[in-house]
Amino acid sequence: MTPSFLCGKSGGRRGAALAVVFLVTVVMSILVAALYILFSGNVKSFEYARDRTGARYTAESGARMAVHMLSTETWMPQGTEPFFMPEDSSGWILMEGIQGRALVVIDPRNNVSNPFAIRSVQIRSRGAFQSALTDIKTNYSPDAPSRYALLVDRAIPRGFFEDGRVVDGPVHCNGIIDFSSVSSDSSGDPYAREASTTSEGGFRFADVGFSSEPHPEGSSVWVQPYRRHLSGAPNWAPIASEIDFARIEQHFRDLETVANDMGTLVTGVKRVILDGNTLLMKAANQGPISSIGLGPERNLVVIMNGAMPVYIKSGQPTTIPLTIITTGNVNLSGSIRGGPAGGAGPLAIVSLGDIVIATDPSYTGETDWSPPWDIETEGNLSVQAYLAAPSGKLRNESLIHPGDLSYLTINGGLMQEQMGSMGTTMSGYRLEIEYDEGLNSVMPPFFPILENWVMTSWLEDPDYDGMSIEADQY
């Protein structure tokens, strides 16, 4: 028989053990509950961050797709109404890889009074991923070939950017740009307000070779404005995007149908005088004069001249924006008088061959046409226009005429596939470019935009002030 006091001890131990088990169970339950709550919170935080990140990437990808779509065209979107990208009824685009969806709206800018302005677009992209939605609003502007004071495809060789050369506007070359100087300091060194080349080209200095700096160590060349170039792109860009000259040329070739519909497709003429807002034309010296009236609805002329050059000069100044395209060489037979971009102009002369300064017959003794159809290139020439030869060059017909060095001054800008010969150090012409600042924002009629679009602003989770994403907001 067990003593009673021993039974009391055993029961006490059992009670204590049960109490300990209970306390441990309670503590473990609390820990498990805490871990569950913490884990659940982490999972929700992770899912929220994951979905937000996925939605943002989806929205950004949608905006990039819109920019790519715009870059495949040489025209700005027509009209001002917003439209979905792609232009279908659903609007939503499944983004492969991300497994999200994007709703992308392209909204061309309103309230642009000049029809030839380089208009920007606003891209609004909504990304959806799992449970999250994120909006991106960004503004882009296209680049244009007419925005450049000097645009060259192949190379700008030594002899152009040397002491005394000033191009107070954007300069771009897909190939090499050469710089040289013989001055002992930076005074008078070549000046280009903006200078850009590509990874296939490069900046080359006559005394030290290639360099990505506007003043390489050991060089006598300080490309001006030196301090501004030190800040980098867009003032100084050694690896800018290439500009597709073939695409630009094809754009101009495709305008034949547009000119035909306007009644401004011209064939069988040899000499042209742009007299005010009238195009006067002749096929022979003693032949009849034909004419075309030009205006806001007739601002494109295409001259089909093939292998035969067409000679052109101005009478009275032209007071409307106008683009003249020749399918072969165009010979400048005198000065050209257009108006400034954004004002009475711009005027553009585009050759799908070369642009040639015709030699005045007074130098050679050859017979000329009767005034005012004669060639007048005896001295300095002024061209108030944008000149473009996307598959050719600007050149002088004779390197020895004029006998004394004269100046060809372009008040506008120049685009050419390659630099042509203008003369010698003692004869012919020296090219001077005085950039028309209006070309920064205004294009000649029917000029293309480039494949390069530039972002000007970016905003995540914008406030649409109660408006829908597809409403006209820009």
Tab-separated table of all heavy atoms in Angstrom, residues 256-289:
chain	number	residue	atom	x	y	z
A	256	GLU	N	5.772	61.609	-106.159
A	256	GLU	CA	5.332	61.863	-107.539
A	256	GLU	C	3.810	61.846	-107.647
A	256	GLU	O	3.208	62.700	-108.300
A	256	GLU	CB	5.950	60.814	-108.467
A	256	GLU	CG	5.529	60.938	-109.922
A	256	GLU	CD	6.113	59.821	-110.779
A	256	GLU	OE1	7.187	59.279	-110.418
A	256	GLU	OE2	5.492	59.492	-111.806
A	257	THR	N	3.181	60.882	-106.995
A	257	THR	CA	1.725	60.768	-107.049
A	257	THR	C	1.056	61.971	-106.398
A	257	THR	O	0.044	62.490	-106.893
A	257	THR	CB	1.260	59.479	-106.348
A	257	THR	OG1	1.877	58.359	-106.994
A	257	THR	CG2	-0.248	59.321	-106.423
A	258	VAL	N	1.625	62.448	-105.283
A	258	VAL	CA	1.050	63.610	-104.600
A	258	VAL	C	1.097	64.835	-105.504
A	258	VAL	O	0.115	65.577	-105.622
A	258	VAL	CB	1.806	63.880	-103.283
A	258	VAL	CG1	1.253	65.114	-102.585
A	258	VAL	CG2	1.731	62.670	-102.368
A	259	ALA	N	2.237	65.058	-106.166
A	259	ALA	CA	2.364	66.209	-107.073
A	259	ALA	C	1.406	66.073	-108.260
A	259	ALA	O	0.823	67.062	-108.713
A	259	ALA	CB	3.804	66.338	-107.561
A	260	ASN	N	1.248	64.862	-108.753
A	260	ASN	CA	0.331	64.640	-109.877
A	260	ASN	C	-1.094	65.014	-109.490
A	260	ASN	O	-1.827	65.642	-110.264
A	260	ASN	CB	0.406	63.184	-110.322
A	260	ASN	CG	-0.410	62.930	-111.582
A	260	ASN	OD1	-0.188	63.551	-112.615
A	260	ASN	ND2	-1.371	62.026	-111.482
A	261	ASP	N	-1.501	64.651	-108.275
A	261	ASP	CA	-2.843	64.999	-107.807
A	261	ASP	C	-3.009	66.502	-107.627
A	261	ASP	O	-4.118	67.037	-107.773
A	261	ASP	CB	-3.129	64.281	-106.481
A	261	ASP	CG	-3.236	62.766	-106.639
A	261	ASP	OD1	-3.427	62.309	-107.782
A	261	ASP	OD2	-3.121	62.055	-105.624
A	262	MET	N	-1.927	67.207	-107.319
A	262	MET	CA	-1.977	68.662	-107.163
A	262	MET	C	-1.948	69.390	-108.507
A	262	MET	O	-2.198	70.590	-108.568
A	262	MET	CB	-0.769	69.144	-106.342
A	262	MET	CG	-0.854	68.925	-104.873
A	262	MET	SD	0.582	69.721	-104.080
A	262	MET	CE	0.305	69.245	-102.386
A	263	GLY	N	-1.579	68.676	-109.550
A	263	GLY	CA	-1.376	69.328	-110.837
A	263	GLY	C	-0.045	70.022	-110.943
A	263	GLY	O	0.125	70.967	-111.723
A	264	THR	N	0.941	69.556	-110.149
A	264	THR	CA	2.263	70.194	-110.134
A	264	THR	C	3.362	69.195	-110.497
A	264	THR	O	4.502	69.364	-110.077
A	264	THR	CB	2.548	70.811	-108.750
A	264	THR	OG1	2.391	69.804	-107.739
A	264	THR	CG2	1.607	71.966	-108.463
A	265	LEU	N	3.018	68.160	-111.244
A	265	LEU	CA	4.022	67.235	-111.778
A	265	LEU	C	4.443	67.765	-113.141
A	265	LEU	O	3.619	67.933	-114.041
A	265	LEU	CB	3.442	65.832	-111.899
A	265	LEU	CG	4.398	64.737	-112.365
A	265	LEU	CD1	5.501	64.496	-111.343
A	265	LEU	CD2	3.638	63.446	-112.645
A	266	VAL	N	5.740	68.042	-113.302
A	266	VAL	CA	6.241	68.763	-114.473
A	266	VAL	C	7.170	67.851	-115.280
A	266	VAL	O	8.024	67.161	-114.710
A	266	VAL	CB	7.004	70.037	-114.039
A	266	VAL	CG1	7.616	70.737	-115.235
A	266	VAL	CG2	6.065	70.961	-113.272
A	267	THR	N	7.023	67.865	-116.603
A	267	THR	CA	7.927	67.141	-117.498
A	267	THR	C	8.313	68.041	-118.669
A	267	THR	O	7.615	69.006	-118.987
A	267	THR	CB	7.258	65.867	-118.052
A	267	THR	OG1	6.073	66.232	-118.784
A	267	THR	CG2	6.876	64.909	-116.928
A	268	GLY	N	9.452	67.728	-119.291
A	268	GLY	CA	9.833	68.389	-120.539
A	268	GLY	C	10.282	69.819	-120.421
A	268	GLY	O	10.213	70.569	-121.403
A	269	VAL	N	10.751	70.258	-119.251
A	269	VAL	CA	11.250	71.628	-119.121
A	269	VAL	C	12.745	71.581	-118.830
A	269	VAL	O	13.268	70.605	-118.284
A	269	VAL	CB	10.509	72.413	-118.020
A	269	VAL	CG1	9.030	72.484	-118.319
A	269	VAL	CG2	10.757	71.804	-116.644
A	270	LYS	N	13.446	72.653	-119.234
A	270	LYS	CA	14.892	72.730	-119.030
A	270	LYS	C	15.307	73.865	-118.113
A	270	LYS	O	16.333	73.772	-117.450
A	270	LYS	CB	15.605	72.862	-120.376
A	270	LYS	CG	15.478	71.625	-121.266
A	270	LYS	CD	16.262	71.778	-122.555
A	270	LYS	CE	16.166	70.516	-123.420
A	270	LYS	NZ	16.909	70.666	-124.708
A	271	ARG	N	14.516	74.934	-118.092
A	271	ARG	CA	14.858	76.066	-117.224
A	271	ARG	C	13.618	76.540	-116.484
A	271	ARG	O	12.509	76.544	-117.027
A	271	ARG	CB	15.503	77.201	-118.016
A	271	ARG	CG	16.808	76.762	-118.667
A	271	ARG	CD	17.798	77.861	-118.876
A	271	ARG	NE	19.035	77.332	-119.457
A	271	ARG	CZ	20.106	78.050	-119.732
A	271	ARG	NH1	20.123	79.361	-119.486
A	271	ARG	NH2	21.191	77.483	-120.252
A	272	VAL	N	13.862	76.914	-115.232
A	272	VAL	CA	12.771	77.283	-114.327
A	272	VAL	C	13.157	78.561	-113.596
A	272	VAL	O	14.304	78.714	-113.152
A	272	VAL	CB	12.515	76.147	-113.312
A	272	VAL	CG1	11.562	76.599	-112.226
A	272	VAL	CG2	11.984	74.901	-114.008
A	273	ILE	N	12.200	79.467	-113.483
A	273	ILE	CA	12.360	80.653	-112.644
A	273	ILE	C	11.260	80.625	-111.599
A	273	ILE	O	10.068	80.567	-111.938
A	273	ILE	CB	12.289	81.954	-113.464
A	273	ILE	CG1	13.428	82.021	-114.479
A	273	ILE	CG2	12.343	83.175	-112.540
A	273	ILE	CD1	13.366	83.247	-115.388
A	274	LEU	N	11.662	80.663	-110.354
A	274	LEU	CA	10.696	80.728	-109.267
A	274	LEU	C	10.431	82.203	-108.989
A	274	LEU	O	11.205	82.871	-108.293
A	274	LEU	CB	11.267	80.021	-108.038
A	274	LEU	CG	10.340	79.850	-106.837
A	274	LEU	CD1	9.041	79.157	-107.225
A	274	LEU	CD2	11.047	79.099	-105.731
A	275	ASP	N	9.353	82.711	-109.570
A	275	ASP	CA	9.052	84.138	-109.517
A	275	ASP	C	7.911	84.378	-108.540
A	275	ASP	O	6.738	84.209	-108.873
A	275	ASP	CB	8.669	84.635	-110.913
A	275	ASP	CG	8.625	86.152	-111.000
A	275	ASP	OD1	9.371	86.805	-110.243
A	275	ASP	OD2	7.841	86.681	-111.809
A	276	GLY	N	8.272	84.758	-107.337
A	276	GLY	CA	7.249	84.899	-106.310
A	276	GLY	C	6.624	83.544	-106.033
A	276	GLY	O	7.320	82.572	-105.738
A	277	ASN	N	5.309	83.467	-106.138
A	277	ASN	CA	4.595	82.219	-105.922
A	277	ASN	C	4.113	81.615	-107.239
A	277	ASN	O	3.090	80.929	-107.291
A	277	ASN	CB	3.421	82.441	-104.969
A	277	ASN	CG	3.889	82.934	-103.615
A	277	ASN	OD1	5.038	82.740	-103.244
A	277	ASN	ND2	3.003	83.576	-102.875
A	278	THR	N	4.884	81.882	-108.287
A	278	THR	CA	4.598	81.323	-109.609
A	278	THR	C	5.851	80.648	-110.135
A	278	THR	O	6.957	81.199	-110.030
A	278	THR	CB	4.162	82.423	-110.595
A	278	THR	OG1	2.993	83.075	-110.085
A	278	THR	CG2	3.839	81.825	-111.959
A	279	LEU	N	5.694	79.477	-110.693
A	279	LEU	CA	6.803	78.761	-111.313
A	279	LEU	C	6.725	78.965	-112.818
A	279	LEU	O	5.769	78.527	-113.465
A	279	LEU	CB	6.729	77.268	-110.970
A	279	LEU	CG	8.012	76.461	-111.205
A	279	LEU	CD1	9.090	76.866	-110.207
A	279	LEU	CD2	7.725	74.968	-111.090
A	280	LEU	N	7.723	79.679	-113.372
A	280	LEU	CA	7.800	79.914	-114.809
A	280	LEU	C	8.740	78.892	-115.416
A	280	LEU	O	9.809	78.613	-114.868
A	280	LEU	CB	8.305	81.330	-115.099
A	280	LEU	CG	7.518	82.474	-114.454
A	280	LEU	CD1	8.201	83.809	-114.736
A	280	LEU	CD2	6.083	82.487	-114.967
A	281	MET	N	8.372	78.340	-116.594
A	281	MET	CA	9.139	77.228	-117.169
A	281	MET	C	9.268	77.380	-118.675
A	281	MET	O	8.378	77.897	-119.339
A	281	MET	CB	8.438	75.897	-116.854
A	281	MET	CG	8.285	75.607	-115.374
A	281	MET	SD	7.080	74.286	-115.066
A	281	MET	CE	5.539	75.146	-115.426
A	282	LYS	N	10.433	76.877	-119.179
A	282	LYS	CA	10.680	76.855	-120.614
A	282	LYS	C	11.378	75.554	-120.987
A	282	LYS	O	12.218	75.051	-120.226
A	282	LYS	CB	11.574	78.032	-121.031
A	282	LYS	CG	10.837	79.243	-121.566
A	282	LYS	CD	11.824	80.197	-122.214
A	282	LYS	CE	11.112	81.325	-122.936
A	282	LYS	NZ	12.059	82.131	-123.741
A	283	ALA	N	11.069	75.064	-122.186
A	283	ALA	CA	11.734	73.870	-122.700
A	283	ALA	C	12.820	74.228	-123.712
A	283	ALA	O	13.710	73.421	-123.983
A	283	ALA	CB	10.723	72.936	-123.358
A	284	ALA	N	12.780	75.450	-124.267
A	284	ALA	CA	13.778	75.898	-125.242
A	284	ALA	C	13.886	77.407	-125.155
A	284	ALA	O	12.950	78.092	-124.715
A	284	ALA	CB	13.392	75.467	-126.647
A	285	ASN	N	15.031	77.937	-125.589
A	285	ASN	CA	15.278	79.374	-125.488
A	285	ASN	C	14.192	80.177	-126.190
A	285	ASN	O	13.694	81.173	-125.660
A	285	ASN	CB	16.652	79.694	-126.081
A	285	ASN	CG	17.063	81.148	-125.840
A	285	ASN	OD1	16.492	81.837	-124.992
A	285	ASN	ND2	18.055	81.608	-126.578
A	286	GLN	N	13.824	79.758	-127.378
A	286	GLN	CA	12.820	80.476	-128.153
A	286	GLN	C	11.420	79.899	-127.973
A	286	GLN	O	10.489	80.286	-128.666
A	286	GLN	CB	13.199	80.445	-129.643
A	286	GLN	CG	14.567	81.036	-129.954
A	286	GLN	CD	14.698	82.469	-129.487
A	286	GLN	OE1	13.759	83.265	-129.590
A	286	GLN	NE2	15.878	82.821	-128.951
A	287	GLY	N	11.271	78.959	-127.061
A	287	GLY	CA	9.980	78.317	-126.863
A	287	GLY	C	9.049	79.129	-125.987
A	287	GLY	O	9.426	80.154	-125.411
A	288	PRO	N	7.805	78.673	-125.852
A	288	PRO	CA	6.808	79.393	-125.048
A	288	PRO	C	7.088	79.233	-123.559
A	288	PRO	O	7.778	78.306	-123.115
A	288	PRO	CB	5.495	78.707	-125.430
A	288	PRO	CG	5.900	77.320	-125.827
A	288	PRO	CD	7.245	77.458	-126.483
A	289	ILE	N	6.520	80.146	-122.785
A	289	ILE	CA	6.619	80.096	-121.328
A	289	ILE	C	5.352	79.453	-120.778
A	289	ILE	O	4.241	79.839	-121.140
A	289	ILE	CB	6.787	81.508	-120.732
A	289	ILE	CG1	8.056	82.173	-121.268
A	289	ILE	CG2	6.804	81.452	-119.205
A	289	ILE	CD1	8.191	83.630	-120.861
